[in-house]
Amino acid sequence: MSALNAHIGYRVRIAQVRIFKDVYERMERLSMTLGAFSALLVIRDNPGVRQGVLGAAMHIKRPNMTKLVNGLEKDGLVTRLTPPDDKRAVELRLTPLGEARIAEAVRSVGAHDEAVRDLLGARDRATLLRLLDRITEGLTPER
Amino acid sequence: MSALNAHIGYRVRIAQVRIFKDVYERMERLSMTLGAFSALLVIRDNPGVRQGVLGAAMHIKRPNMTKLVNGLEKDGLVTRLTPPDDKRAVELRLTPLGEARIAEAVRSVGAHDEAVRDLLGARDRATLLRLLDRITEGLTPER
DNA sequence: TATTGTTATACTCTATAACTATA
DNA sequence: TATAGTTATAGAGTATAACAATA
């Protein structure tokens, strides 16, 4: 249709949208947003992670992180805990229900990820990740 | 930080966000949204394109297309024209101002695209696009 | 009846500024 | 003063339903 296709960014975006469409559908079936999935996964792997650290990992601003965690807490999936050594902070942990829900979601997304892996094969998959990282790191200014 | 990195979709998304951050900044300097840029580019290459066709090309729903084109028209960048053979439809064309603005934007985005190309080189760029397409097409169910 | 575009509306994601309570 | 989190708010982007005009 147009010159859009000539832009690498556009092509990367099309692939990303396509992948996420599948993942969204799986998440929807579990009544979970993608943001909730990502947060639960990171908390599972980093029990007691501070809210700000989680936000940084997810590239989500503090105010939006508050809303996301509010939802997770209201659904009984995570607990907020104020550490005694810094009463400003909030530590996040999964509840047993949160553990069960993320395990379920990981199974579903894992199945999707396998489909993508199979499309590429191990070798091409490694190549793709390497090239994507070169873009990500190459465009990120040194700090 | 987490298991997110193991997911291909997440890595594709990180690269996409990184690329679009640059493009957004360039668009911002030109007081143009990315949607406006894409629309102007497609209209430039397809003068008289119908609004619905443009929306399909951009994967934008009709009601949202209306809002986008309203803005472009209000800014004097495009004209709406009702073709005599189908009075329901709307044909879109760039105004001289629209031509000037898209030319300017294409120069700016072109410079960015070159930076990405230089990061990869011609060979790896072709490989990346091929692998992305395999994902996009492989996940898209036949119609 | 179906299609093109519009209007109204709502939901998600993202962003900034002002606030609180701690450090 | 600076930091962690919250609140309020506003802007994109996207989704559906109901509508008018036309085919």
Side-chain angles (χ1 to χ4, degrees), chain A residues 1 9 11 16 18 46 124-125 133-134 139-140, chain B residues 1 6 9 11 16 18 20 46 124 133-134 139-140:
Chain A
M1 179 74 206
R11 299 282 279 279
Q16 184 252 300
R18 192 58 263 263
N46 304 272
D124 282 346
R125 177 177 177 275
D133 284 355
R134 210 192 301 165
L139 288 179
T140 302
Chain B
M1 177 75 204
R11 299 282 279 278
Q16 184 251 299
R18 192 56 263 263
F20 273 59
N46 305 273
D124 282 347
D133 283 355
R134 210 193 300 166
L139 289 179
T140 303

mmCIF file with all atom_site columns, all heavy atoms in Angstrom, chain A residues 1 9 11 16 18 46 124-125 133-134 139-140, chain B residues 1 6 9 11 16 18 20 46 124 133-134 139-140:
data_model
loop_
_atom_site.group_PDB
_atom_site.id
_atom_site.type_symbol
_atom_site.label_atom_id
_atom_site.label_alt_id
_atom_site.label_comp_id
_atom_site.label_asym_id
_atom_site.label_entity_id
_atom_site.label_seq_id
_atom_site.pdbx_PDB_ins_code
_atom_site.Cartn_x
_atom_site.Cartn_y
_atom_site.Cartn_z
_atom_site.occupancy
_atom_site.B_iso_or_equiv
_atom_site.pdbx_formal_charge
_atom_site.auth_seq_id
_atom_site.auth_comp_id
_atom_site.auth_asym_id
_atom_site.auth_atom_id
_atom_site.pdbx_PDB_model_num
ATOM 1   N N   . MET A 1 1   ? 0.815  -1.209  0.000  1.00 0.00 ? 1   MET A N   1
ATOM 2   C CA  . MET A 1 1   ? 0.000  0.000   0.000  1.00 0.00 ? 1   MET A CA  1
ATOM 3   C C   . MET A 1 1   ? 0.850  1.261   0.000  1.00 0.00 ? 1   MET A C   1
ATOM 4   O O   . MET A 1 1   ? 0.495  2.270   -0.544 1.00 0.00 ? 1   MET A O   1
ATOM 5   C CB  . MET A 1 1   ? -0.901 0.006   1.257  1.00 0.00 ? 1   MET A CB  1
ATOM 6   C CG  . MET A 1 1   ? -1.792 1.230   1.412  1.00 0.00 ? 1   MET A CG  1
ATOM 7   S SD  . MET A 1 1   ? -3.192 1.256   0.275  1.00 0.00 ? 1   MET A SD  1
ATOM 8   C CE  . MET A 1 1   ? -3.504 3.022   0.151  1.00 0.00 ? 1   MET A CE  1
ATOM 9   N N   . GLY A 1 9   ? 11.267 0.393   11.423 1.00 0.00 ? 9   GLY A N   1
ATOM 10  C CA  . GLY A 1 9   ? 10.435 0.548   12.614 1.00 0.00 ? 9   GLY A CA  1
ATOM 11  C C   . GLY A 1 9   ? 9.013  0.075   12.372 1.00 0.00 ? 9   GLY A C   1
ATOM 12  O O   . GLY A 1 9   ? 8.415  -0.577  13.226 1.00 0.00 ? 9   GLY A O   1
ATOM 13  N N   . ARG A 1 11  ? 8.006  -2.167  10.202 1.00 0.00 ? 11  ARG A N   1
ATOM 14  C CA  . ARG A 1 11  ? 7.980  -3.628  10.064 1.00 0.00 ? 11  ARG A CA  1
ATOM 15  C C   . ARG A 1 11  ? 8.115  -4.302  11.430 1.00 0.00 ? 11  ARG A C   1
ATOM 16  O O   . ARG A 1 11  ? 7.475  -5.324  11.705 1.00 0.00 ? 11  ARG A O   1
ATOM 17  C CB  . ARG A 1 11  ? 9.109  -4.083  9.139  1.00 0.00 ? 11  ARG A CB  1
ATOM 18  C CG  . ARG A 1 11  ? 8.999  -3.510  7.734  1.00 0.00 ? 11  ARG A CG  1
ATOM 19  C CD  . ARG A 1 11  ? 7.970  -4.241  6.916  1.00 0.00 ? 11  ARG A CD  1
ATOM 20  N NE  . ARG A 1 11  ? 8.509  -5.474  6.382  1.00 0.00 ? 11  ARG A NE  1
ATOM 21  C CZ  . ARG A 1 11  ? 9.261  -5.543  5.293  1.00 0.00 ? 11  ARG A CZ  1
ATOM 22  N NH1 . ARG A 1 11  ? 9.540  -4.460  4.601  1.00 0.00 ? 11  ARG A NH1 1
ATOM 23  N NH2 . ARG A 1 11  ? 9.721  -6.691  4.859  1.00 0.00 ? 11  ARG A NH2 1
ATOM 24  N N   . GLN A 1 16  ? 5.337  -6.966  15.993 1.00 0.00 ? 16  GLN A N   1
ATOM 25  C CA  . GLN A 1 16  ? 5.017  -6.869  17.424 1.00 0.00 ? 16  GLN A CA  1
ATOM 26  C C   . GLN A 1 16  ? 3.507  -6.892  17.645 1.00 0.00 ? 16  GLN A C   1
ATOM 27  O O   . GLN A 1 16  ? 3.012  -7.592  18.528 1.00 0.00 ? 16  GLN A O   1
ATOM 28  C CB  . GLN A 1 16  ? 5.624  -5.575  17.981 1.00 0.00 ? 16  GLN A CB  1
ATOM 29  C CG  . GLN A 1 16  ? 5.438  -5.425  19.470 1.00 0.00 ? 16  GLN A CG  1
ATOM 30  C CD  . GLN A 1 16  ? 4.436  -4.357  19.790 1.00 0.00 ? 16  GLN A CD  1
ATOM 31  O OE1 . GLN A 1 16  ? 4.628  -3.203  19.428 1.00 0.00 ? 16  GLN A OE1 1
ATOM 32  N NE2 . GLN A 1 16  ? 3.358  -4.727  20.469 1.00 0.00 ? 16  GLN A NE2 1
ATOM 33  N N   . ARG A 1 18  ? 1.268  -8.165  15.732 1.00 0.00 ? 18  ARG A N   1
ATOM 34  C CA  . ARG A 1 18  ? 0.788  -9.504  15.407 1.00 0.00 ? 18  ARG A CA  1
ATOM 35  C C   . ARG A 1 18  ? 1.006  -10.475 16.572 1.00 0.00 ? 18  ARG A C   1
ATOM 36  O O   . ARG A 1 18  ? 0.138  -11.248 16.948 1.00 0.00 ? 18  ARG A O   1
ATOM 37  C CB  . ARG A 1 18  ? 1.502  -10.003 14.132 1.00 0.00 ? 18  ARG A CB  1
ATOM 38  C CG  . ARG A 1 18  ? 0.900  -11.259 13.512 1.00 0.00 ? 18  ARG A CG  1
ATOM 39  C CD  . ARG A 1 18  ? -0.557 -11.028 13.164 1.00 0.00 ? 18  ARG A CD  1
ATOM 40  N NE  . ARG A 1 18  ? -1.391 -11.541 14.235 1.00 0.00 ? 18  ARG A NE  1
ATOM 41  C CZ  . ARG A 1 18  ? -1.977 -12.723 14.258 1.00 0.00 ? 18  ARG A CZ  1
ATOM 42  N NH1 . ARG A 1 18  ? -1.918 -13.498 13.224 1.00 0.00 ? 18  ARG A NH1 1
ATOM 43  N NH2 . ARG A 1 18  ? -2.648 -13.133 15.288 1.00 0.00 ? 18  ARG A NH2 1
ATOM 44  N N   . ASN A 1 46  ? 11.098 -12.207 41.626 1.00 0.00 ? 46  ASN A N   1
ATOM 45  C CA  . ASN A 1 46  ? 11.813 -11.300 42.531 1.00 0.00 ? 46  ASN A CA  1
ATOM 46  C C   . ASN A 1 46  ? 10.931 -10.968 43.732 1.00 0.00 ? 46  ASN A C   1
ATOM 47  O O   . ASN A 1 46  ? 10.510 -9.821  43.890 1.00 0.00 ? 46  ASN A O   1
ATOM 48  C CB  . ASN A 1 46  ? 12.207 -10.005 41.801 1.00 0.00 ? 46  ASN A CB  1
ATOM 49  C CG  . ASN A 1 46  ? 13.028 -10.255 40.548 1.00 0.00 ? 46  ASN A CG  1
ATOM 50  O OD1 . ASN A 1 46  ? 14.245 -10.351 40.603 1.00 0.00 ? 46  ASN A OD1 1
ATOM 51  N ND2 . ASN A 1 46  ? 12.347 -10.379 39.415 1.00 0.00 ? 46  ASN A ND2 1
ATOM 52  N N   . ASP A 1 124 ? 17.558 -19.319 13.792 1.00 0.00 ? 124 ASP A N   1
ATOM 53  C CA  . ASP A 1 124 ? 17.009 -18.033 13.348 1.00 0.00 ? 124 ASP A CA  1
ATOM 54  C C   . ASP A 1 124 ? 16.481 -17.217 14.519 1.00 0.00 ? 124 ASP A C   1
ATOM 55  O O   . ASP A 1 124 ? 16.515 -15.986 14.508 1.00 0.00 ? 124 ASP A O   1
ATOM 56  C CB  . ASP A 1 124 ? 15.887 -18.254 12.321 1.00 0.00 ? 124 ASP A CB  1
ATOM 57  C CG  . ASP A 1 124 ? 16.450 -18.592 10.952 1.00 0.00 ? 124 ASP A CG  1
ATOM 58  O OD1 . ASP A 1 124 ? 17.674 -18.398 10.754 1.00 0.00 ? 124 ASP A OD1 1
ATOM 59  O OD2 . ASP A 1 124 ? 15.686 -19.043 10.085 1.00 0.00 ? 124 ASP A OD2 1
ATOM 60  N N   . ARG A 1 125 ? 15.982 -17.932 15.530 1.00 0.00 ? 125 ARG A N   1
ATOM 61  C CA  . ARG A 1 125 ? 15.492 -17.236 16.711 1.00 0.00 ? 125 ARG A CA  1
ATOM 62  C C   . ARG A 1 125 ? 16.644 -16.474 17.371 1.00 0.00 ? 125 ARG A C   1
ATOM 63  O O   . ARG A 1 125 ? 16.514 -15.298 17.727 1.00 0.00 ? 125 ARG A O   1
ATOM 64  C CB  . ARG A 1 125 ? 14.898 -18.248 17.695 1.00 0.00 ? 125 ARG A CB  1
ATOM 65  C CG  . ARG A 1 125 ? 14.432 -17.615 18.976 1.00 0.00 ? 125 ARG A CG  1
ATOM 66  C CD  . ARG A 1 125 ? 13.779 -18.633 19.907 1.00 0.00 ? 125 ARG A CD  1
ATOM 67  N NE  . ARG A 1 125 ? 13.403 -18.009 21.151 1.00 0.00 ? 125 ARG A NE  1
ATOM 68  C CZ  . ARG A 1 125 ? 14.227 -17.845 22.167 1.00 0.00 ? 125 ARG A CZ  1
ATOM 69  N NH1 . ARG A 1 125 ? 15.464 -18.284 22.086 1.00 0.00 ? 125 ARG A NH1 1
ATOM 70  N NH2 . ARG A 1 125 ? 13.817 -17.237 23.262 1.00 0.00 ? 125 ARG A NH2 1
ATOM 71  N N   . ASP A 1 133 ? 18.541 -6.819  19.525 1.00 0.00 ? 133 ASP A N   1
ATOM 72  C CA  . ASP A 1 133 ? 19.340 -6.228  20.604 1.00 0.00 ? 133 ASP A CA  1
ATOM 73  C C   . ASP A 1 133 ? 20.314 -5.188  20.054 1.00 0.00 ? 133 ASP A C   1
ATOM 74  O O   . ASP A 1 133 ? 20.594 -4.195  20.714 1.00 0.00 ? 133 ASP A O   1
ATOM 75  C CB  . ASP A 1 133 ? 20.119 -7.322  21.345 1.00 0.00 ? 133 ASP A CB  1
ATOM 76  C CG  . ASP A 1 133 ? 19.216 -8.112  22.282 1.00 0.00 ? 133 ASP A CG  1
ATOM 77  O OD1 . ASP A 1 133 ? 18.042 -7.730  22.414 1.00 0.00 ? 133 ASP A OD1 1
ATOM 78  O OD2 . ASP A 1 133 ? 19.686 -9.090  22.883 1.00 0.00 ? 133 ASP A OD2 1
ATOM 79  N N   . ARG A 1 134 ? 20.826 -5.457  18.859 1.00 0.00 ? 134 ARG A N   1
ATOM 80  C CA  . ARG A 1 134 ? 21.774 -4.497  18.296 1.00 0.00 ? 134 ARG A CA  1
ATOM 81  C C   . ARG A 1 134 ? 21.073 -3.161  18.066 1.00 0.00 ? 134 ARG A C   1
ATOM 82  O O   . ARG A 1 134 ? 21.638 -2.097  18.294 1.00 0.00 ? 134 ARG A O   1
ATOM 83  C CB  . ARG A 1 134 ? 22.386 -5.028  17.001 1.00 0.00 ? 134 ARG A CB  1
ATOM 84  C CG  . ARG A 1 134 ? 23.792 -4.466  16.822 1.00 0.00 ? 134 ARG A CG  1
ATOM 85  C CD  . ARG A 1 134 ? 24.364 -4.704  15.445 1.00 0.00 ? 134 ARG A CD  1
ATOM 86  N NE  . ARG A 1 134 ? 24.432 -6.114  15.111 1.00 0.00 ? 134 ARG A NE  1
ATOM 87  C CZ  . ARG A 1 134 ? 24.622 -6.538  13.863 1.00 0.00 ? 134 ARG A CZ  1
ATOM 88  N NH1 . ARG A 1 134 ? 24.757 -5.658  12.872 1.00 0.00 ? 134 ARG A NH1 1
ATOM 89  N NH2 . ARG A 1 134 ? 24.651 -7.821  13.596 1.00 0.00 ? 134 ARG A NH2 1
ATOM 90  N N   . LEU A 1 139 ? 20.641 2.183   19.617 1.00 0.00 ? 139 LEU A N   1
ATOM 91  C CA  . LEU A 1 139 ? 19.883 3.435   19.663 1.00 0.00 ? 139 LEU A CA  1
ATOM 92  C C   . LEU A 1 139 ? 19.849 4.043   21.054 1.00 0.00 ? 139 LEU A C   1
ATOM 93  O O   . LEU A 1 139 ? 19.543 5.213   21.217 1.00 0.00 ? 139 LEU A O   1
ATOM 94  C CB  . LEU A 1 139 ? 18.445 3.193   19.187 1.00 0.00 ? 139 LEU A CB  1
ATOM 95  C CG  . LEU A 1 139 ? 18.260 2.930   17.699 1.00 0.00 ? 139 LEU A CG  1
ATOM 96  C CD1 . LEU A 1 139 ? 16.794 2.677   17.387 1.00 0.00 ? 139 LEU A CD1 1
ATOM 97  C CD2 . LEU A 1 139 ? 18.772 4.109   16.870 1.00 0.00 ? 139 LEU A CD2 1
ATOM 98  N N   . THR A 1 140 ? 20.141 3.220   22.057 1.00 0.00 ? 140 THR A N   1
ATOM 99  C CA  . THR A 1 140 ? 20.129 3.726   23.426 1.00 0.00 ? 140 THR A CA  1
ATOM 100 C C   . THR A 1 140 ? 21.416 4.480   23.703 1.00 0.00 ? 140 THR A C   1
ATOM 101 O O   . THR A 1 140 ? 22.498 3.905   23.638 1.00 0.00 ? 140 THR A O   1
ATOM 102 C CB  . THR A 1 140 ? 19.990 2.563   24.424 1.00 0.00 ? 140 THR A CB  1
ATOM 103 O OG1 . THR A 1 140 ? 18.805 1.852   24.121 1.00 0.00 ? 140 THR A OG1 1
ATOM 104 C CG2 . THR A 1 140 ? 19.921 3.083   25.841 1.00 0.00 ? 140 THR A CG2 1
ATOM 105 N N   . MET B 1 1   ? 16.437 -8.717  34.762 1.00 0.00 ? 1   MET B N   1
ATOM 106 C CA  . MET B 1 1   ? 15.455 -8.528  35.817 1.00 0.00 ? 1   MET B CA  1
ATOM 107 C C   . MET B 1 1   ? 14.482 -9.693  35.889 1.00 0.00 ? 1   MET B C   1
ATOM 108 O O   . MET B 1 1   ? 14.021 -10.052 36.946 1.00 0.00 ? 1   MET B O   1
ATOM 109 C CB  . MET B 1 1   ? 14.680 -7.221  35.557 1.00 0.00 ? 1   MET B CB  1
ATOM 110 C CG  . MET B 1 1   ? 13.575 -6.925  36.551 1.00 0.00 ? 1   MET B CG  1
ATOM 111 S SD  . MET B 1 1   ? 14.172 -6.340  38.137 1.00 0.00 ? 1   MET B SD  1
ATOM 112 C CE  . MET B 1 1   ? 12.827 -6.776  39.238 1.00 0.00 ? 1   MET B CE  1
ATOM 113 N N   . ALA B 1 6   ? 12.913 -13.665 28.171 1.00 0.00 ? 6   ALA B N   1
ATOM 114 C CA  . ALA B 1 6   ? 12.935 -14.928 27.443 1.00 0.00 ? 6   ALA B CA  1
ATOM 115 C C   . ALA B 1 6   ? 11.881 -14.972 26.345 1.00 0.00 ? 6   ALA B C   1
ATOM 116 O O   . ALA B 1 6   ? 11.960 -15.787 25.437 1.00 0.00 ? 6   ALA B O   1
ATOM 117 C CB  . ALA B 1 6   ? 12.726 -16.089 28.413 1.00 0.00 ? 6   ALA B CB  1
ATOM 118 N N   . GLY B 1 9   ? 8.269  -12.065 21.941 1.00 0.00 ? 9   GLY B N   1
ATOM 119 C CA  . GLY B 1 9   ? 7.376  -10.914 21.800 1.00 0.00 ? 9   GLY B CA  1
ATOM 120 C C   . GLY B 1 9   ? 7.838  -9.729  22.616 1.00 0.00 ? 9   GLY B C   1
ATOM 121 O O   . GLY B 1 9   ? 7.790  -8.595  22.159 1.00 0.00 ? 9   GLY B O   1
ATOM 122 N N   . ARG B 1 11  ? 10.923 -9.052  23.535 1.00 0.00 ? 11  ARG B N   1
ATOM 123 C CA  . ARG B 1 11  ? 12.142 -8.485  22.940 1.00 0.00 ? 11  ARG B CA  1
ATOM 124 C C   . ARG B 1 11  ? 11.806 -7.673  21.700 1.00 0.00 ? 11  ARG B C   1
ATOM 125 O O   . ARG B 1 11  ? 12.393 -6.622  21.443 1.00 0.00 ? 11  ARG B O   1
ATOM 126 C CB  . ARG B 1 11  ? 13.110 -9.616  22.593 1.00 0.00 ? 11  ARG B CB  1
ATOM 127 C CG  . ARG B 1 11  ? 13.544 -10.416 23.808 1.00 0.00 ? 11  ARG B CG  1
ATOM 128 C CD  . ARG B 1 11  ? 14.592 -9.699  24.622 1.00 0.00 ? 11  ARG B CD  1
ATOM 129 N NE  . ARG B 1 11  ? 15.890 -9.874  24.028 1.00 0.00 ? 11  ARG B NE  1
ATOM 130 C CZ  . ARG B 1 11  ? 16.664 -10.948 24.203 1.00 0.00 ? 11  ARG B CZ  1
ATOM 131 N NH1 . ARG B 1 11  ? 16.256 -11.938 24.960 1.00 0.00 ? 11  ARG B NH1 1
ATOM 132 N NH2 . ARG B 1 11  ? 17.838 -11.023 23.624 1.00 0.00 ? 11  ARG B NH2 1
ATOM 133 N N   . GLN B 1 16  ? 10.927 -2.261  19.335 1.00 0.00 ? 16  GLN B N   1
ATOM 134 C CA  . GLN B 1 16  ? 9.947  -1.377  18.693 1.00 0.00 ? 16  GLN B CA  1
ATOM 135 C C   . GLN B 1 16  ? 9.765  -0.091  19.486 1.00 0.00 ? 16  GLN B C   1
ATOM 136 O O   . GLN B 1 16  ? 9.748  1.005   18.923 1.00 0.00 ? 16  GLN B O   1
ATOM 137 C CB  . GLN B 1 16  ? 8.618  -2.116  18.562 1.00 0.00 ? 16  GLN B CB  1
ATOM 138 C CG  . GLN B 1 16  ? 7.566  -1.315  17.813 1.00 0.00 ? 16  GLN B CG  1
ATOM 139 C CD  . GLN B 1 16  ? 6.486  -0.828  18.751 1.00 0.00 ? 16  GLN B CD  1
ATOM 140 O OE1 . GLN B 1 16  ? 5.810  -1.611  19.374 1.00 0.00 ? 16  GLN B OE1 1
ATOM 141 N NE2 . GLN B 1 16  ? 6.318  0.478   18.845 1.00 0.00 ? 16  GLN B NE2 1
ATOM 142 N N   . ARG B 1 18  ? 11.888 1.257   21.477 1.00 0.00 ? 18  ARG B N   1
ATOM 143 C CA  . ARG B 1 18  ? 13.124 2.049   21.358 1.00 0.00 ? 18  ARG B CA  1
ATOM 144 C C   . ARG B 1 18  ? 13.160 2.824   20.028 1.00 0.00 ? 18  ARG B C   1
ATOM 145 O O   . ARG B 1 18  ? 13.492 3.999   19.969 1.00 0.00 ? 18  ARG B O   1
ATOM 146 C CB  . ARG B 1 18  ? 14.333 1.103   21.469 1.00 0.00 ? 18  ARG B CB  1
ATOM 147 C CG  . ARG B 1 18  ? 15.692 1.789   21.658 1.00 0.00 ? 18  ARG B CG  1
ATOM 148 C CD  . ARG B 1 18  ? 15.635 2.696   22.880 1.00 0.00 ? 18  ARG B CD  1
ATOM 149 N NE  . ARG B 1 18  ? 15.368 4.049   22.473 1.00 0.00 ? 18  ARG B NE  1
ATOM 150 C CZ  . ARG B 1 18  ? 16.274 4.996   22.290 1.00 0.00 ? 18  ARG B CZ  1
ATOM 151 N NH1 . ARG B 1 18  ? 17.532 4.758   22.536 1.00 0.00 ? 18  ARG B NH1 1
ATOM 152 N NH2 . ARG B 1 18  ? 15.952 6.193   21.872 1.00 0.00 ? 18  ARG B NH2 1
ATOM 153 N N   . PHE B 1 20  ? 10.551 3.621   18.100 1.00 0.00 ? 20  PHE B N   1
ATOM 154 C CA  . PHE B 1 20  ? 9.476  4.607   18.023 1.00 0.00 ? 20  PHE B CA  1
ATOM 155 C C   . PHE B 1 20  ? 9.728  5.802   18.920 1.00 0.00 ? 20  PHE B C   1
ATOM 156 O O   . PHE B 1 20  ? 9.254  6.893   18.640 1.00 0.00 ? 20  PHE B O   1
ATOM 157 C CB  . PHE B 1 20  ? 8.128  3.942   18.360 1.00 0.00 ? 20  PHE B CB  1
ATOM 158 C CG  . PHE B 1 20  ? 7.481  3.324   17.154 1.00 0.00 ? 20  PHE B CG  1
ATOM 159 C CD1 . PHE B 1 20  ? 8.130  2.333   16.440 1.00 0.00 ? 20  PHE B CD1 1
ATOM 160 C CD2 . PHE B 1 20  ? 6.245  3.745   16.701 1.00 0.00 ? 20  PHE B CD2 1
ATOM 161 C CE1 . PHE B 1 20  ? 7.555  1.760   15.309 1.00 0.00 ? 20  PHE B CE1 1
ATOM 162 C CE2 . PHE B 1 20  ? 5.663  3.182   15.564 1.00 0.00 ? 20  PHE B CE2 1
ATOM 163 C CZ  . PHE B 1 20  ? 6.320  2.187   14.871 1.00 0.00 ? 20  PHE B CZ  1
ATOM 164 N N   . ASN B 1 46  ? -0.775 7.699   -2.667 1.00 0.00 ? 46  ASN B N   1
ATOM 165 C CA  . ASN B 1 46  ? -2.038 7.240   -3.254 1.00 0.00 ? 46  ASN B CA  1
ATOM 166 C C   . ASN B 1 46  ? -3.057 8.369   -3.296 1.00 0.00 ? 46  ASN B C   1
ATOM 167 O O   . ASN B 1 46  ? -4.070 8.333   -2.597 1.00 0.00 ? 46  ASN B O   1
ATOM 168 C CB  . ASN B 1 46  ? -2.598 6.061   -2.437 1.00 0.00 ? 46  ASN B CB  1
ATOM 169 C CG  . ASN B 1 46  ? -1.613 4.916   -2.282 1.00 0.00 ? 46  ASN B CG  1
ATOM 170 O OD1 . ASN B 1 46  ? -1.535 4.033   -3.125 1.00 0.00 ? 46  ASN B OD1 1
ATOM 171 N ND2 . ASN B 1 46  ? -0.847 4.934   -1.213 1.00 0.00 ? 46  ASN B ND2 1
ATOM 172 N N   . ASP B 1 124 ? 22.345 -7.764  7.275  1.00 0.00 ? 124 ASP B N   1
ATOM 173 C CA  . ASP B 1 124 ? 21.595 -8.082  8.497  1.00 0.00 ? 124 ASP B CA  1
ATOM 174 C C   . ASP B 1 124 ? 20.222 -7.439  8.481  1.00 0.00 ? 124 ASP B C   1
ATOM 175 O O   . ASP B 1 124 ? 19.266 -7.967  9.046  1.00 0.00 ? 124 ASP B O   1
ATOM 176 C CB  . ASP B 1 124 ? 22.374 -7.606  9.735  1.00 0.00 ? 124 ASP B CB  1
ATOM 177 C CG  . ASP B 1 124 ? 23.510 -8.551  10.073 1.00 0.00 ? 124 ASP B CG  1
ATOM 178 O OD1 . ASP B 1 124 ? 23.523 -9.667  9.517  1.00 0.00 ? 124 ASP B OD1 1
ATOM 179 O OD2 . ASP B 1 124 ? 24.382 -8.179  10.866 1.00 0.00 ? 124 ASP B OD2 1
ATOM 180 N N   . ASP B 1 133 ? 9.030  -10.956 8.985  1.00 0.00 ? 133 ASP B N   1
ATOM 181 C CA  . ASP B 1 133 ? 7.931  -11.313 8.090  1.00 0.00 ? 133 ASP B CA  1
ATOM 182 C C   . ASP B 1 133 ? 7.490  -12.753 8.311  1.00 0.00 ? 133 ASP B C   1
ATOM 183 O O   . ASP B 1 133 ? 6.307  -13.075 8.207  1.00 0.00 ? 133 ASP B O   1
ATOM 184 C CB  . ASP B 1 133 ? 8.345  -11.120 6.623  1.00 0.00 ? 133 ASP B CB  1
ATOM 185 C CG  . ASP B 1 133 ? 8.326  -9.650  6.232  1.00 0.00 ? 133 ASP B CG  1
ATOM 186 O OD1 . ASP B 1 133 ? 7.896  -8.832  7.062  1.00 0.00 ? 133 ASP B OD1 1
ATOM 187 O OD2 . ASP B 1 133 ? 8.745  -9.332  5.108  1.00 0.00 ? 133 ASP B OD2 1
ATOM 188 N N   . ARG B 1 134 ? 8.475  -13.617 8.616  1.00 0.00 ? 134 ARG B N   1
ATOM 189 C CA  . ARG B 1 134 ? 8.101  -15.012 8.825  1.00 0.00 ? 134 ARG B CA  1
ATOM 190 C C   . ARG B 1 134 ? 7.184  -15.123 10.039 1.00 0.00 ? 134 ARG B C   1
ATOM 191 O O   . ARG B 1 134 ? 6.224  -15.897 10.041 1.00 0.00 ? 134 ARG B O   1
ATOM 192 C CB  . ARG B 1 134 ? 9.344  -15.887 9.000  1.00 0.00 ? 134 ARG B CB  1
ATOM 193 C CG  . ARG B 1 134 ? 9.082  -17.305 8.490  1.00 0.00 ? 134 ARG B CG  1
ATOM 194 C CD  . ARG B 1 134 ? 10.138 -18.295 8.899  1.00 0.00 ? 134 ARG B CD  1
ATOM 195 N NE  . ARG B 1 134 ? 11.462 -17.915 8.402  1.00 0.00 ? 134 ARG B NE  1
ATOM 196 C CZ  . ARG B 1 134 ? 12.577 -18.482 8.856  1.00 0.00 ? 134 ARG B CZ  1
ATOM 197 N NH1 . ARG B 1 134 ? 12.517 -19.413 9.795  1.00 0.00 ? 134 ARG B NH1 1
ATOM 198 N NH2 . ARG B 1 134 ? 13.741 -18.107 8.390  1.00 0.00 ? 134 ARG B NH2 1
ATOM 199 N N   . LEU B 1 139 ? 2.031  -16.246 11.882 1.00 0.00 ? 139 LEU B N   1
ATOM 200 C CA  . LEU B 1 139 ? 1.005  -16.140 12.921 1.00 0.00 ? 139 LEU B CA  1
ATOM 201 C C   . LEU B 1 139 ? -0.335 -15.704 12.358 1.00 0.00 ? 139 LEU B C   1
ATOM 202 O O   . LEU B 1 139 ? -1.359 -15.866 13.001 1.00 0.00 ? 139 LEU B O   1
ATOM 203 C CB  . LEU B 1 139 ? 1.446  -15.139 13.995 1.00 0.00 ? 139 LEU B CB  1
ATOM 204 C CG  . LEU B 1 139 ? 2.585  -15.583 14.904 1.00 0.00 ? 139 LEU B CG  1
ATOM 205 C CD1 . LEU B 1 139 ? 2.923  -14.492 15.901 1.00 0.00 ? 139 LEU B CD1 1
ATOM 206 C CD2 . LEU B 1 139 ? 2.219  -16.862 15.636 1.00 0.00 ? 139 LEU B CD2 1
ATOM 207 N N   . THR B 1 140 ? -0.313 -15.121 11.156 1.00 0.00 ? 140 THR B N   1
ATOM 208 C CA  . THR B 1 140 ? -1.562 -14.663 10.559 1.00 0.00 ? 140 THR B CA  1
ATOM 209 C C   . THR B 1 140 ? -2.294 -15.835 9.944  1.00 0.00 ? 140 THR B C   1
ATOM 210 O O   . THR B 1 140 ? -1.786 -16.464 9.021  1.00 0.00 ? 140 THR B O   1
ATOM 211 C CB  . THR B 1 140 ? -1.292 -13.603 9.482  1.00 0.00 ? 140 THR B CB  1
ATOM 212 O OG1 . THR B 1 140 ? -0.572 -12.525 10.070 1.00 0.00 ? 140 THR B OG1 1
ATOM 213 C CG2 . THR B 1 140 ? -2.597 -13.078 8.913  1.00 0.00 ? 140 THR B CG2 1
#
